[in-house]
C-alpha cells in the first residue's frame, strides 16, 4: 500500500528547543540586529564584514547544538508516512535527526555560494567564511542564504509539493514571511492542516486549521503518535 504523504512546513520555532534563537520572538534575532543591516543584498554590498560575521556566528552556534524532540518525532513519522519537510530554517537539524526529504526554502548555513553565479554552491569547511574566500570564477563567496528582497528559487517546487499533501503540518513559524507563509494555500481542498506553535499565529487564511498551542517538542511528539496510530 502506498503511504499517505505528509508535508511539513517548519520555521525557527522547531529549532528553538535546541537553543537556536527565533527571529521575531522577544529576545529574537531581529531584536538584536537590524534585518536591513545583515539580511539583504544591499547590506552585503555596504558592509560585507558585518554580514559575514553575523552568519559566521550563526554557523558557529550550529556546531554546538543538537536536534530536539520535534526533529526526532518527524523522523519517526517516516515509519508510516511519506514525509516531506519544507523548512524556512537554514540550520541542518532536520537532516542531522535523520529526516530523508528536506527542502530548504531560505538557504543553508553550512553552504556558501559565488556572489556572481548563484549556481556555484559549496560546502563550507568549518564555521568561518572569510574575506578573500573565492569561488572558481574568482568572486568573493557569500552565505548561501535567501536574503530579503531576493527571489525564493525553491517556491515553485514547494508549492507543487504542498499541492500533493494528504496531511499538512506547520510547526514553529510566525507565518510573517511570504511566499513561505502562503504555501499552505496550495494544499488540496479538504486536506487536514495542523499548526503547532505556543503563540497565537495568524491563521485566518487557513480554513479548518487545527491549532495546537504547544512548544514544538511536545506538540510534534504528540501529534506524530496520533498520526502513527491512525495510519
Ligand atoms: P519567527 O521568529 O518569525 O517565528 C518563530 C515562531 O516560532 C513564532 O511563531 C514563535 O511563537 C514560535 N516558537 C517559539 N518557540 C517555539 C517552540 N519552542 N516551539 C514551537 N514554536 C516556537 O521565525 P520564522 O517564522 O521561521 O528568513 O521566520 C521566517 C523567516 O524570517 C526566516 O526563515 C528568516 C526570517 O527572517 C531569512 O532569514 C531569509
Amino acid at each position: 500500500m502506498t503511504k499517505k504523504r505528509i508535508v511539513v512546513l517548519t520555521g525557527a520555532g522547531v529549532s528553538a528547543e535546541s537553543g537556536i534563537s527565533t527571529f521575531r520572538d522577544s529576545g529574537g534575532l531581529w531584536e538584536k540586529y537590524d534585518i536591513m543591516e545583515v539580511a539583504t543584498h544591499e547590506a552585503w554590498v555596504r558592509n560585507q564584514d558585518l554580514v559575514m560575521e553575523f552568519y559566521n556566528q550563526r554557523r558557529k552556534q550550529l556546531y554546538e547544538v543538537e536536534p530536539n524532540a520535534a526533529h526526532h518525532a518527524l523522523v519517526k513519522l517516516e515509519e508510516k508516512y511519506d514525509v516531506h519537510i519544507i523548512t524556512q530554517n537554514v540550520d541542518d537539524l532536520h537532516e542531522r535527526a535523520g529526516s530523508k526529504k528536506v527542502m530548504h526554502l531560505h538557504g543553508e548555513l553550512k553552504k556558501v555560494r559565488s556572489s556572481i553565479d548563484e549556481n556555484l554552491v559549496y560546502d563550507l569547511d568549518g564555521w568561518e567564511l572569510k574575506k578573500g574566500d573565492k569561488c572558481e570564477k574568482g568572486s568573493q563567496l557569500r552565505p548561501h542564504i535567501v536574503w530579503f528582497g531576493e527571489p525564493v528559487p525553491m517556491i515553485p517546487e514547494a508549492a507543487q509539493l504542498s499541492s500533493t499533501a494528504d496531511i499538512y503540518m506547520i510547526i514553529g513559524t510566525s507565518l510573517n514571511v511570504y511566499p513561505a507563509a502562503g504555501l499552505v494555500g496550495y494544499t488540496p481542498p479538504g486536506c487536514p492542516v495542523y499548526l503547532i506553535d505556543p503563540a497565537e499565529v495568524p491563521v485566518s487564511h487557513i480554513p479548518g486549521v487545527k491549532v495546537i498551542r504547544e512548544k514544538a517538542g511536545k506538540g510534534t511528539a504528540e501529534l506524530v503518535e496520533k498520526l502513527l496510530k491512525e495510519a
Side-chain angles (χ1 to χ4, degrees), residues 1 78 81 101 114 118 127 161-162 173:
M1 211 179 75
E78 293 184 10
Y81 291 92
K101 294 166 197 155
S114 159
E118 64 185 38
W127 61 271
L161 190 56
S162 300
T173 170

Side-chain angles (χ1 to χ4, degrees), residues 11-14 16-17 22-25 30 55 88-89 106 145-148 172-177 196-199 201 214-216:
V14 80
E17 287 158 270
T22 61
F23 296 96
R24 294 175 183 79
D25 289 308
W30 296 151
Y55 289 101
Q88 298 168 84
N89 297 343
H106 294 160
I145 302 287
V146 176
W147 284 321
F148 286 91
T173 170
S174 63
L175 293 178
N176 252 287
V177 174
I196 301 169
D197 199 296
V201 171
E214 296 279 3
K215 288 187 174 179

Side-chain angles (χ1 to χ4, degrees), residues 8-39:
V8 190
L9 174 70
T10 65
V14 80
S15 297
E17 287 158 270
S18 294
I20 298 182
S21 292
T22 61
F23 296 96
R24 294 175 183 79
D25 289 308
S26 107
L29 281 173
W30 296 151
E31 221 170 67
K32 298 190 194 107
Y33 299 88
D34 180 346
I35 293 185
M36 300 310 289
E37 298 297 327
V38 292

Side-chain angles (χ1 to χ4, degrees), residues 164-181:
T164 64
D166 295 305
I167 298 171
Y168 207 76
M169 285 166 68
I170 302 172
I171 308 172
T173 170
S174 63
L175 293 178
N176 252 287
V177 174
Y178 281 79

